[in-house]
């Protein structure tokens, strides 16, 4: 098989675009990338209303030629959103490529594992950014030294989300103070050795001086954790949008009330009554449309046992039949339908109540396979016996009216 044959097989099997979205990427599955004809390239610009039309005149009966109030029309401001780039790459050995030369089935067998890993890893990165881009992935409050070059990082219970860390072995992390201002002194980065979901902790490795500095720092301080290189280079995720009180996307939430979201403190175990209270917070700011609630699976299980009335299990629901074990809990409130989704990447202490009609995913391109010379999907590896495969993404998530969204906090178990 020639290089052109390999390229043809790859395009026939996988195509130019990375179209498969894994099931765990709930937000990406629900909110597709904007169509190609609406991709503005450099940035996405659109106007938002920041106040009502207030040119209103009141007059009593028989007022005659009454005077009109001065013109005070709608006030708008432009939102500017730019996509952030992600490049993911892996390699396939020359041996595997040679084994795949026989026919298209053998080529699929030889390449599918690496291709699937790239697709799943890319979706994981984008999903985590859509949730927590621009903010920390968790809070570490202590460490337990296990050797000169390894220590165990303990997360606070509420800041842990297993879905953010499963499969993270080998991932590099940067650690910052809780103001997100400076990195922990003396620690360039650490590498995940193992993930302990049950106990909410990561075992990490680094040089002996770095581990010593980190253990010393955590003796009396907490720290925030970011994927290496992500801080300052990631899209603003839903968490950042919902907690924003300053300027974001060229609009200052301290000056434009409609650009600021609400918060609702659960202050304990989550119940349907508290979800309805959070929905009321959104309605008080004008939300009269369907809402999606993304929360940790532990919190979802609590709601499963507190379903109460006003429920719709799926499109086939009837008064004669109810089904348990569903993927989303749906019920009706005064605003419309509320769909509640368990999401393993949402931290245990919080949840996001989002109006889906207000969500857009914009940017230059959804995941695409990068191509080198002669439109080849495979890049040569120097001093390695194999070929490199790359995928590229440039995008951002946008909430067009943050005032209709609510962040729930303080969920405990």
């Amino acid at each position: 098989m020639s290089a052109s044959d390999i390229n043809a097989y790859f395009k026939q099997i996988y195509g130019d675009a990375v179209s498969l979205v894994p099931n765990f990427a709930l937000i990406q599955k629900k909110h597709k990338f904007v169509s190609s004809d609406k991709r503005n390239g450099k940035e996405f610009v659109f106007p938002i209303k920041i106040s009502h039309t207030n040119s209103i005149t009141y007059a009593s009966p028989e007022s005659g030629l009454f005077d009109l109030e001065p013109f005070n029309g709608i006030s708008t401001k432009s939102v500017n959103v730019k996509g952030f780039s992600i490049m993911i790459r892996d390699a396939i050995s020359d041996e595997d490529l040679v084994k795949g030369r026989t026919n298209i089935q053998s080529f699929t067998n030889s390449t599918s594992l690496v291709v699937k890993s790239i697709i799943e890893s890319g979706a994981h990165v984008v999903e985590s950014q859509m949730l927590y881009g621009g903010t920390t992935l968790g809070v570490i409050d202590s460490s337990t030294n296990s050797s000169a070059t390894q220590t165990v990082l303990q997360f606070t219970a509420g800041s842990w989300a297993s879905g953010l860390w499963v499969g993270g072995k080998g991932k590099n992390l940067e650690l910052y103070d809780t103001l997100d201002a400076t990195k922990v002194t003396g620690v360039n980065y650490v590498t995940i050795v193992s993930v302990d979901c049950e106990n909410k902790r990561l075992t990490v490795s680094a040089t002996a001086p770095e581990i010593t500095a980190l253990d010393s720092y955590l003796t009396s301080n907490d720290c925030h954790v970011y994927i290496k290189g992500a801080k300052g280079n990631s899209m603003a995720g839903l968490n950042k949008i919902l907690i924003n009180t300053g300027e974001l996307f060229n609009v200052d939430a301290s000056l434009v009330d409609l650009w600021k979201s609400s918060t609702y403190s659960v202050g304990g175990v989550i119940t349907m009554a508290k979800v309805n209270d959070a929905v009321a917070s959104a309605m008080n700011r004008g939300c009269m449309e369907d809402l999606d609630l993304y929360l940790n699976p532990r919190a979802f299980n609590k709601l499963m046992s507190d379903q109460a009335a006003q429920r719709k299990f799926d499109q086939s629901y009837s008064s004669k039949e109810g089904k348990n074990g569903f993927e989303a809990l749906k019920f009706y409130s005064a605003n419309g339908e509320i769909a509640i989704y368990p999401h393993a990447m949402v931290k245990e202490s919080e949840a996001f109540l989002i109006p889906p009609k207000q969500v857009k995913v914009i940017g230059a391109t959804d995941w695409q396979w990068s191509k080198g010379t002669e439109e080849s999907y495979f890049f040569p590896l120097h001093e390695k016996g194999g070929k490199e495969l790359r995928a590229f993404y440039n995008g951002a998530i946008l909430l067009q009216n943050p005032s209709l969204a609510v962040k729930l906090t303080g969920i405990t178990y």
Side-chain angles (χ1 to χ4, degrees):
M1 180 193 293
S2 66
S4 61
D5 291 331
I6 291 175
N7 206 47
Y9 274 0
F10 188 93
K11 185 171 185 177
Q12 182 177 344
I13 299 168
Y14 305 112
D16 287 327
V18 183
S19 57
L20 175 65
V21 180
N23 289 332
F24 64 77
L26 300 181
I27 297 174
Q28 293 172 77
K29 288 181 77 70
K30 179 153 189 173
H31 300 286
K32 304 299 183 182
F33 215 93
V34 292
S35 57
S36 57
D37 61 314
K38 296 181 180 179
R39 297 178 192 176
N40 292 17
K42 183 178 180 182
E43 61 185 3
F44 183 81
V45 181
F46 71 98
I48 61 167
K49 183 179 80 170
I50 62 177
S51 70
H52 294 302
T53 297
N54 292 308
S55 308
I56 304 170
T57 301
Y58 300 88
S60 58
E62 302 180 359
S63 294
L65 299 175
F66 55 86
D67 294 331
L68 299 178
E69 284 292 312
F71 183 78
N72 185 6
I74 184 176
S75 181
T76 64
K77 191 169 180 63
S78 290
V79 173
N80 301 74
V81 187
K82 298 180 180 180
F84 284 76
S85 296
I86 305 169
M87 176 75 79
I88 187 167
R89 59 196 187 116
D90 207 332
I92 300 177
S93 69
D94 282 332
E95 179 182 358
D96 284 336
L97 285 176
V98 169
K99 290 177 179 177
R101 287 179 175 177
T102 306
N103 52 47
I104 194 168
Q105 184 58 54
S106 65
F107 183 82
T108 302
N109 294 339
S110 296
T111 60
S112 60
L113 188 61
V114 170
V115 171
K116 182 179 179 182
S117 179
I118 290 176
I119 292 172
E120 290 182 344
S121 299
H124 185 276
V125 170
V126 171
E127 191 78 2
S128 63
Q129 284 201 12
M130 285 182 170
L131 286 167
Y132 292 107
T135 60
T136 180
L137 296 181
V139 181
I140 299 167
D141 66 358
S142 65
S143 64
T144 304
N145 184 267
S146 56
S147 72
T149 58
Q150 290 190 8
T151 194
V152 180
L153 304 179
Q154 181 66 60
F155 283 65
T156 59
S159 72
W160 176 264
S162 293
L164 293 174
W165 304 110
V166 170
K169 182 179 180 180
K171 190 168 292 184
N172 296 324
L173 309 175
E174 293 178 322
L175 306 170
Y176 282 78
D177 62 25
T178 52
L179 297 177
D180 292 317
T182 59
K183 291 176 69 172
V184 173
T185 303
V187 185
N188 185 14
Y189 65 87
V190 298
T191 303
I192 298 176
V193 176
S194 64
V195 179
D196 183 352
C197 293
E198 183 176 354
N199 293 299
K200 304 176 178 60
R201 52 195 189 197
L202 304 175
T203 298
V204 298
S205 66
T207 66
E210 287 176 307
I211 293 297
T212 298
L214 179 56
D215 285 336
S216 176
Y217 183 86
L218 290 171
T219 300
S220 55
N221 302 281
D222 292 352
C223 72
H224 286 175
V225 59
Y226 293 83
I227 304 301
K228 184 176 182 288
K231 190 175 186 300
N233 298 311
S234 299
M235 70 177 78
L238 292 174
N239 184 58
K240 185 174 180 65
I241 294 171
L242 267 60
I243 66 174
N244 173 59
T245 57
E247 185 170 314
L248 183 64
F249 305 141
N250 199 43
V251 179
D252 193 337
S254 67
L255 303 176
V256 182
D257 183 63
L258 295 178
W259 202 240
K260 182 168 57 177
S261 302
S262 301
T263 59
Y264 175 80
S265 177
V266 174
V269 177
I270 193 166
T271 63
M272 284 296 189
K274 292 179 178 179
V275 171
N276 277 317
D277 284 344
V279 171
S281 295
M283 293 178 62
N284 285 338
R285 303 193 68 190
C287 181
M288 291 302 296
E289 58 188 82
D290 294 347
L291 289 165
D292 290 341
L293 180 65
Y294 295 97
L295 74 175
N296 189 273
R298 291 187 68 195
F300 181 80
N301 288 339
K302 294 294 182 182
L303 287 179
M304 287 277 286
S305 60
D306 185 44
Q307 296 164 28
Q310 295 183 337
R311 61 187 180 181
K312 185 180 86 171
F313 295 101
D314 55 29
Q315 295 299 322
S316 63
Y317 174 76
S318 71
S319 60
K320 297 180 180 179
E321 181 181 29
K323 295 181 180 180
N324 288 317
F326 39 85
E327 294 180 354
L329 177 63
K330 296 183 179 181
F331 67 99
Y332 288 103
S333 186
N335 66 295
E337 186 178 82
I338 314 297
I340 304 176
Y341 297 94
H343 201 314
M345 293 187 192
V346 175
K347 296 173 186 175
E348 292 188 358
S349 67
E350 58 195 38
F352 303 108
L353 189 63
I354 306 294
K357 291 181 181 179
Q358 302 296 327
V359 177
K360 283 189 178 296
V361 181
I362 61 91
T365 179
D366 201 349
W367 283 108
Q368 295 282 338
W369 297 109
S370 296
K371 288 182 278 188
T373 58
E374 299 180 356
E375 292 293 288
S376 174
Y377 294 95
F378 295 93
F379 294 77
L381 284 174
H382 300 291
E383 300 183 1
K384 295 284 187 181
K387 299 293 187 296
E388 182 177 326
L389 187 61
R390 299 177 183 176
F392 176 75
Y393 177 95
N394 178 277
I397 192 169
L398 169 65
L399 195 56
Q400 296 179 103
N401 190 344
S403 69
L404 305 183
V406 182
K407 180 179 179 181
L408 285 70
T409 62
I411 300 172
T412 63
Y413 301 88

